[in-house]
């Protein structure tokens, strides 16, 4: 079922500071423009690596789901891992049938790459928050 | 400086249980044989994705550095991210010159892929434990 490791989601109190770190300390050469995802309560910025991406996520609004993470980890840290799947509904239904808890209503939302996403509960995923996203049909990542 | 996202390191109380999860729930098709890295106090198992890997790490011995992580996160979870670099000594020296703390003595050790590695302190990396590994010269990953 799972395909590419699309990105590692990294929570940060400041996208600007994190982009500077990836650029000036680690020498990453491509950070995209940050943008807001108000429905998900996050501001997002992708840093490209040759084979994958880091997704920097900063809280947006007073009820951002990232605020709790940053309260426990003020400097930020690894927040989730995102795997691509061919068909999000088929993946969701197969996982549910095996007893995996899908977060929220279980209805896919549109994620940062413009394709449907779901999140799987860490209790069923070895303590790791897992995002599944449908592979973009145009081959873009 | 940084190149490919070589792997995401995921701590687990049981490699066998985690491999079963990746195989039976997430449909991963290739898990390598687990092996011990006694010098680092871990047992390791790589799960292949089309573009990267998950490195499952289980404590090995009574002073394993992973025991503290599992005490805080009994189910396991994301432990570190590993980026490839061309030259580990050049990378280390450049990072040190910019004030980044290298863990341990700073002398590279041989990592799970047989090439030299160092770890960067999370306090300088946005709360994230970062491993740098020298890209295998034979192109294998």
């Amino acid at each position: 079922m799972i395909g590419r490791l699309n990105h590692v989601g990294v929570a940060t109190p400041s996208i600007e500071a994190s982009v500077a770190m990836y650029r000036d300390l680690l020498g990453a050469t491509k950070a995209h423009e940050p943008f807001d995802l108000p429905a998900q309560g996050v501001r997002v910025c992708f840093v490209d690596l040759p084979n994958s991406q880091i997704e920097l996520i900063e809280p947006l609004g007073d009820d951002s789901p990232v605020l709790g993470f940053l309260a426990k980890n003020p400097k930020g840290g690894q927040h989730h891992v995102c795997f691509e799947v061919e068909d999000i509904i088929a993946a969701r239904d197969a996982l549910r049938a095996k007893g995996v808890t899908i977060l929220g209503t279980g209805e896919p939302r549109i994620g940062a790459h413009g394709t449907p996403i779901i999140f799987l509960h860490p209790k069923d995923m070895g303590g790791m928050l897992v995002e599944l996203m449908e592979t973009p049909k145009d081959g873009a990542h």
Side-chain angles (χ1 to χ4, degrees), chain A:
Chain A
M1 177 166 52
I2 57 170
R4 294 177 75 255
L5 174 62
N6 185 274
H7 62 261
V8 178
V10 176
T12 174
S14 163
I15 281 178
E16 278 65 31
S18 288
V19 166
M21 183 200 89
Y22 278 94
R23 185 188 58 219
D24 301 338
L25 295 184
L26 293 175
T29 51
K30 175 69 179 169
H32 296 256
E33 280 298 308
F35 59 98
D36 294 350
L37 281 179
Q40 298 184 31
V42 290
R43 186 163 170 257
V44 170
C45 177
F46 284 100
V47 177
D48 286 359
L49 301 168
N51 62 327
S52 192
Q53 292 181 310
I54 299 291
E55 181 191 41
L56 299 169
I57 45 179
E58 185 186 278
L60 181 71
D62 293 337
D63 57 352
S64 170
V66 184
L67 286 170
F69 184 94
L70 289 177
K72 287 184 206 160
N73 309 276
K75 284 181 177 290
Q78 287 174 260
H79 182 267
H80 67 270
V81 168
C82 176
F83 301 117
E84 295 183 19
V85 296
E86 280 299 307
D87 181 326
I88 198 79
I89 299 295
R92 178 198 64 185
D93 293 350
L95 286 160
R96 267 196 178 145
K98 291 174 179 170
V100 174
T101 299
I102 317 296
L103 292 188
T105 64
E107 287 310 299
R109 295 179 300 176
I110 299 300
H113 283 300
T115 67
I117 63 165
I118 58 173
F119 282 92
L120 312 181
H121 199 296
K123 75 180 168 65
D124 299 322
M125 290 288 123
M128 186 165 80
L129 179 60
V130 173
E131 176 181 359
L132 298 182
M133 71 169 261
E134 208 166 88
T135 304
K137 294 293 184 275
D138 61 3
H141 295 291

